Amino acid sequence: MTMYPLLDTIHSPDQLRKLDRKQLTQLADELRAFLIDSVSQTGGHLSSNLGVVELTIALHYVFNTPDDRLVWDVGHQTYPHKILTGRRAAMTGLRKPNGIAGFPRRSESPYDTFGTGHSSTSISAALGMAIAAQQAGLERRSVAIIGDGAMTAGMAFEALNNAGAMDANLLVILNDNDMSISPNVGALNNYLAKLLSGRFYTTMRRSSEKVLGVMPPVLEFAKRAEEHVKGMMTPGTLFEEFGFNYIGPIDGHDIDVLVATLQNIRKLKGPQFLHVATQKGRGYQPAEENPGRYHGVGKFNPTDGSAVAASGNKTYTQIFGEWLVDMASQDERLIGVTPAMCDGSGLNAFAERYPERFFDVGIAEQHALTFAAGMACDGLKPVVAIYSTFLQRAYDQLIHDIALQNLPVMFAIDRAGLVGADGPTHAGSFDLSYMRCIPNMVIMTPSDENECRQMLFTAFQHDGPTAVRYPRGGGPGVTVQKSMQVLPIGKGIVTREGSKVAILAFGSMLTPAMQAAERLGASVANMRFVKPLDIDLIRQLAATHELLVTVEENAIQGGAGAAVMEALQGLSADVETLCLGLPDVFIEHGVHETMLAECGLNADGIVAAIEKKLT
């Protein structure tokens, strides 16, 4: 007997839409059970997906997908969507090499209407699709599903402001999982939502506006009365001011209410806003009790939620978190800032120890940087903990608000280089390229755990903008010294003396470079700094070797290797060169070590590239 009798019959939304509405609750139970079992075997995002099971079913039940467009924000809430759109069997390969992605991918399915990985893009994209339908004279509907966390970003409000001024058929669904399902999201609100989304109310409202339009004072009184009544019962005044018809909040786990409300809204014209309250981790007690821990998980035991044992090496994120607490105890000017990545960036212990000096600004990368700049102007020493891929979103602030004013803001850049299962949307492939062209920046690349700690200390002491970029996961397993020392800025060190070939390694590439050098009899330099470069060391190596090879876990274009080439040109050095790094493609998700090997950035790849160059 199959474990999922109803889910087993659903291979597309067309089949879902043939179900009797009374069957949807059973389908939700089966889908939730399948999610827990599936993610326990592959790892991935769990809490957020458990919270949108009923909403996902209702959306595909009511809307004619994929003709009607569903645009999911961030994308870590799309596992139920993938399962219902023909990819249930493929979930065994989730985030694995040649398997399906953990986020929506347009190339993966026609139901994935927009590729997402960064937050707060859904409303803009869905609005664009709504306008495209309007231009083509189509009745197609566009729906943006955005979380309450993603609503903290300025881009979401820019899109709302623009959409409210248009007459496009756009529905924005706010998936509010920070709000408990309390009495205000109960029978009364569910009833009001169905009433306010119904044709009778909408027709009456528009007709009244036409009639009262000839009497402006009466129309103004009617509008104020309506806003007053709705304001007492719903928190939608803000969204009404943007020009949306606000409906909700409703219980996002009551599938009957969801379907009825969405069916009404689908018939309405113009911009609509539906507020849905959900619970992260719904239906799985460990995730309900600790949704943060189960947001992104490795393999786990579904019976009790216990994690499958992983590598024992300390991660660079942990090294940073420990340094931050130690440094804060020595300097009260230190302020920790993160854009909604407290846990992922290793700030939990700091936040608990120094809550008055910890600021999680939400998904608002641009604000995070300028906020830090303002503090730096008045004597504080902000440390911005941010993923490499998310720093891209605040590039203008990095240049104009921090570097141009030469402010002492320190960046702890996590997830630099390839990130394995999360794939190209989360890879930190470009930070060396986009940072090193900015004046006043000091950029450091630690090669091991201890060097990371010393570089963090060095960066914090510097009176100007600094960045320490380190990869996801652990390093080579070097013992970390609790004492801290300032490293000489712009100075590398020779870690192996050889002949003929010199490998200039940046950051995480030192270990494979050393392994390759042992086989080649080559010299190795741990360059440490991308900016400023150690020009004297480059001059010395160029004068004593026939071939200089740069190795970095960053895009070759404009990266550390390109910086070395520029330096050699300035030195008029007559030496052969070879730059190794990430190729000019977006690299798909997979196992980190395998991905590096495929890019030629392991010891075998480095040896092969050098031997080919020498022949």
Side-chain angles (χ1 to χ4, degrees):
M1 182 178 177
T2 180
M3 191 185 301
Y4 310 108
L6 200 53
L7 183 60
D8 283 346
T9 67
I10 306 301
H11 304 288
S12 74
D14 285 335
Q15 294 169 314
L16 168 63
R17 288 188 278 269
K18 291 176 183 177
L19 294 179
D20 186 280
R21 202 154 125 183
K22 295 177 181 178
Q23 296 176 285
L24 299 184
T25 299
Q26 178 187 339
L27 179 63
D29 292 340
E30 292 182 17
L31 179 53
R32 183 167 277 113
F34 176 81
L35 262 175
I36 296 166
D37 183 57
S38 176
V39 177
S40 73
Q41 298 175 51
T42 63
H45 292 94
L46 184 62
S47 296
S48 52
N49 284 291
L50 291 174
V52 295
V53 167
E54 288 84 4
L55 178 59
T56 306
I57 291 171
L59 283 167
H60 281 293
Y61 190 74
V62 171
F63 288 92
N64 184 31
T65 57
D67 186 55
D68 285 336
R69 309 300 202 226
L70 301 184
V71 181
W72 297 90
D73 212 281
V74 182
H76 60 235
Q77 57 184 337
T78 53
Y79 296 3
H81 162 80
K82 287 176 182 272
I83 292 164
L84 294 174
T85 54
R87 287 168 280 180
R88 180 185 155 195
M91 288 295 289
T92 56
L94 179 73
R95 294 157 39 97
K96 296 178 181 178
N98 302 313
I100 61 173
F103 303 97
R105 298 286 299 275
R106 294 184 70 233
S107 59
E108 190 176 289
S109 168
Y111 292 92
D112 291 1
T113 60
F114 195 76
T116 53
H118 287 187
S119 170
S120 316
T121 59
S122 61
I123 303 175
S124 298
L127 176 60
M129 293 173 185
I131 293 300
Q134 190 180 74
Q135 294 284 318
L138 300 173
E139 287 298 313
R140 186 174 65 213
R141 291 296 189 265
S142 295
V143 183
I145 305 99
I146 185 168
D148 55 289
M151 284 296 292
T152 63
M155 185 175 177
F157 284 91
E158 291 171 15
L160 284 173
N161 185 57
N162 190 211
M166 299 184 183
D167 195 30
N169 293 326
L170 171 69
L171 168 60
V172 175
I173 297 178
L174 173 59
N175 173 28
D176 185 354
N177 53 38
D178 190 45
M179 177 178 183
S180 62
I181 302 175
S182 52
N184 67 313
V185 188
L188 176 60
N189 264 86
N190 289 338
Y191 171 75
L192 284 170
K194 284 191 278 188
L195 176 67
L196 296 175
S197 64
R199 272 186 164 175
F200 173 76
Y201 170 80
T202 308
T203 302
M204 181 183 70
R205 184 179 186 224
R206 289 186 174 178
S207 299
S208 299
E209 287 179 355
K210 288 180 181 178
V211 172
L212 297 175
V214 297
M215 298 179 286
V218 180
L219 175 60
E220 182 63 23
F221 173 79
K223 283 185 175 179
R224 287 181 181 276
E226 179 190 41
E227 289 172 4
H228 180 66
V229 172
K230 292 177 75 174
M232 285 192 299
M233 295 181 267
T234 70
T237 305
L238 170 65
F239 303 108
E240 293 277 0
E241 291 296 326
F242 274 116
F244 282 77
N245 178 40
Y246 173 89
I247 300 157
I250 63 173
D251 184 346
H253 300 296
D254 188 327
I255 205 155
D256 288 329
V257 170
L258 281 169
V259 169
T261 305
L262 289 171
Q263 285 176 334
N264 283 338
I265 292 174
R266 193 176 187 279
K267 300 169 188 174
L268 302 180
K269 301 290 187 181
Q272 310 294 323
F273 193 101
L274 175 62
H275 187 170
V276 176
T278 61
Q279 179 186 17
K280 269 186 132 179
R282 177 80 169 193
Y284 185 53
Q285 187 175 351
E288 287 182 0
E289 294 174 352
N290 194 341
R293 178 185 169 191
Y294 288 89
H295 172 71
V297 294
K299 295 180 181 180
F300 65 95
N301 182 341
T303 304
D304 60 7
S306 59
V308 174
S311 168
N313 275 4
K314 247 179 201 179
T315 66
Y316 283 101
T317 303
Q318 290 171 319
I319 299 295
F320 165 70
E322 291 171 2
W323 169 83
L324 193 67
V325 171
D326 292 345
M327 193 72 246
S329 68
Q330 298 179 28
D331 194 329
E332 63 183 14
R333 297 174 301 164
L334 187 152
I335 303 293
V337 179
T338 187
M341 295 307 299
C342 178
D343 184 54
S345 292
L347 277 77
N348 284 343
F350 173 81
E352 292 174 8
R353 186 82 60 88
Y354 301 102
E356 73 287 353
R357 292 157 64 183
F358 167 71
F359 296 92
D360 183 344
V361 302
I363 301 175
E365 295 88 355
Q366 293 172 300
H367 164 62
L369 267 65
T370 305
F371 172 57
M375 289 190 284
C377 283
D378 281 349
L380 297 177
K381 295 276 285 187
V383 176
V384 179
I386 191 168
Y387 289 6
S388 172
T389 186
F390 298 141
L391 182 56
Q392 294 164 184
R393 310 188 90 187
Y395 193 51
D396 182 70
Q397 287 69 31
L398 177 60
I399 296 172
H400 282 258
D401 298 341
I402 293 174
L404 181 62
Q405 302 185 91
N406 200 27
L407 293 172
V409 176
M410 173 186 158
F411 294 92
I413 302 177
D414 206 330
R415 271 62 165 182
L418 301 177
V419 291
D422 280 338
T425 58
H426 284 61
S429 305
F430 313 111
D431 54 76
L432 295 183
S433 301
Y434 69 68
M435 286 193 299
R436 78 171 189 84
C437 61
I438 303 173
N440 295 329
M441 286 295 301
V442 172
I443 307 167
M444 311 181 200
T445 56
S447 61
D448 60 43
E449 298 90 335
N450 184 58
E451 196 167 66
C452 182
R453 181 176 172 91
Q454 308 313 323
M455 284 185 174
L456 291 166
F457 181 68
T458 302
F460 186 74
Q461 303 305 317
H462 183 69
D463 190 23
T466 55
V468 181
R469 62 99 73 170
Y470 43 87
R472 182 178 192 171
V478 171
T479 301
V480 178
Q481 301 169 4
K482 290 296 287 182
S483 60
M484 293 184 274
Q485 60 176 324
V486 174
L487 301 177
I489 288 181
K491 292 298 178 183
I493 55 173
V494 175
T495 56
R496 188 184 192 280
E497 295 280 1
S499 62
K500 196 172 182 179
V501 176
I503 305 175
L504 285 64
F506 292 88
S508 60
M509 290 293 99
L510 180 62
T511 297
M514 288 291 290
Q515 294 167 349
E518 289 293 329
R519 291 158 59 179
L520 293 166
S523 299
V524 178
N526 175 8
M527 296 303 294
R528 288 184 166 175
F529 292 82
V530 175
K531 188 172 186 178
L533 275 172
D534 190 337
I535 301 299
D536 290 337
L537 180 56
I538 293 171
R539 180 188 292 111
Q540 172 194 329
L541 294 172
T544 54
H545 295 79
E546 298 175 18
L547 175 65
L548 296 192
V549 182
T550 64
V551 191
E552 62 189 300
E553 194 174 346
N554 184 83
I556 293 176
Q557 285 81 354
V564 172
M565 298 304 107
E566 292 161 10
L568 288 169
Q569 184 179 36
L571 293 169
S572 299
D574 184 19
V575 63
E576 285 289 310
T577 58
L578 174 64
C579 292
L580 302 179
L582 300 179
D584 188 25
V585 295
F586 289 107
I587 299 168
E588 295 301 324
H589 58 273
V591 178
H592 184 240
E593 292 76 14
T594 305
M595 297 165 77
L596 287 177
E598 291 173 349
C599 294
L601 295 179
N602 62 354
D604 289 343
I606 294 170
V607 169
I610 292 173
E611 288 180 338
K612 181 179 179 181
K613 180 72 175 179
L614 291 173
T615 56

